[in-house]
Amino acid sequence: MPRSLAEQLIDAGRRFDARGWVSGTSGNFSAVSNRDPLRLAITRSGTHKGELTPEDILEYGDGRVLAGDGSASAETALHLEIVGARGAGSVLHTHSIWSTLLSHRYAELGGLAIRGYEMLKGLAGVTTHDHREWLPILENDQDMARLSGEVGRTLAEHPACHGFLLRRHGLYTWGTTVADARRHVEILEFLLESVARSKESASWRS
Ligand SMILES: [Zn+2]
């Protein structure tokens, strides 16, 4: 795989760790290193994403690890589903406190609408703060085959969404490149924190 993809994923991990979005061994990252046949550079399971080394980035394809030691992230099936559905070049997944809290609070509504924030313009194709971003929320599930089926259905149902939340779990987003996907994580995490904190401060006033 091109070394630069691994370096970009390692860099994303350091940045996200500095923000507290990938504590413990949470989160996982991937980038498409070859489209046909599909090959992914993906983080090894059980690694701390703030301390990744090139050895922690595996090459995955044809349903197995093709290069590197260890097993690919348990959530590899979700990455593959997103790459297939969206033609993404990179998929990044974080476990922030704000995404965890909001994914539970809005779960019954099936998603969370975010509108009126200038930072929405950091999402691909969005040109105005008046954009309404619908962030679907899926029930968490340890059965990855079942969950990736749900992810596929959700992405088909919401063709404009830039990411989704897994309930009490975290955020998935993607982009054409690792840099695009990283920007989407930063934008969506900013928006989630803003939404959550604005609700908190509203309750302080009452
Ligand atoms: Zn996760």
Side-chain angles (χ1 to χ4, degrees):
M1 98 196 43
R3 164 112 176 143
S4 64
L5 282 183
E7 284 169 351
Q8 290 172 57
L9 296 178
I10 291 168
D11 178 56
R14 286 200 199 102
R15 288 166 184 263
F16 296 169
D17 182 37
R19 304 298 303 274
W21 298 337
V22 286
S23 297
T25 59
S26 70
N28 39 68
F29 314 147
S30 71
V32 174
S33 56
N34 195 64
R35 195 63 71 171
D36 189 19
L38 183 63
R39 298 288 181 261
L40 282 187
I42 190 159
T43 44
R44 172 163 47 195
S45 182
T47 53
H48 193 295
K49 305 307 172 300
E51 299 168 354
L52 293 170
T53 67
E55 290 69 38
D56 294 323
I57 311 297
L58 309 177
E59 186 184 24
Y60 188 92
D62 300 330
R64 62 194 171 91
V65 174
L66 299 172
D69 294 325
S71 52
S73 163
E75 294 173 38
T76 300
L78 306 189
H79 289 248
L80 292 169
E81 190 68 37
I82 295 167
V83 165
R86 288 293 201 260
S90 177
V91 178
L92 301 177
H93 169 50
T94 48
H95 287 206
S96 72
I97 289 171
W98 299 113
S99 69
T100 300
L101 292 175
L102 289 175
S103 66
H104 180 59
R105 180 162 181 169
Y106 287 88
E108 302 304 330
L109 299 175
L112 167 65
I114 307 176
R115 186 174 197 165
Y117 289 89
E118 180 70 11
M119 283 289 262
L120 284 162
K121 289 162 64 182
L123 300 175
V126 175
T127 56
T128 170
H129 65 280
D130 205 27
H131 169 78
R132 179 182 185 272
E133 180 70 18
W134 178 253
L135 208 51
I137 300 171
L138 287 72
E139 285 295 328
N140 197 24
D141 195 338
Q142 301 304 323
D143 182 329
M144 286 304 140
R146 194 164 56 202
L147 186 54
S148 58
E150 280 302 313
V151 167
R153 274 187 288 281
T154 300
L155 295 178
E157 201 178 318
H158 302 284
C161 75
H162 292 82
F164 60 83
L165 299 174
L166 297 179
R167 188 174 189 174
R168 282 188 163 173
H169 179 161
L171 167 72
Y172 265 91
T173 187
W174 52 86
T176 307
T177 62
V178 176
D180 287 337
R182 202 187 79 206
R183 189 183 76 248
H184 282 168
V185 169
E186 291 176 357
I187 294 290
L188 290 169
E189 291 288 4
F190 177 98
L191 291 166
L192 290 168
E193 184 169 348
S194 296
V195 167
R197 285 185 184 273
S198 66
K199 298 208 175 297
E200 214 174 48
S201 54
S203 69
W204 293 340
R205 280 198 296 273
S206 60

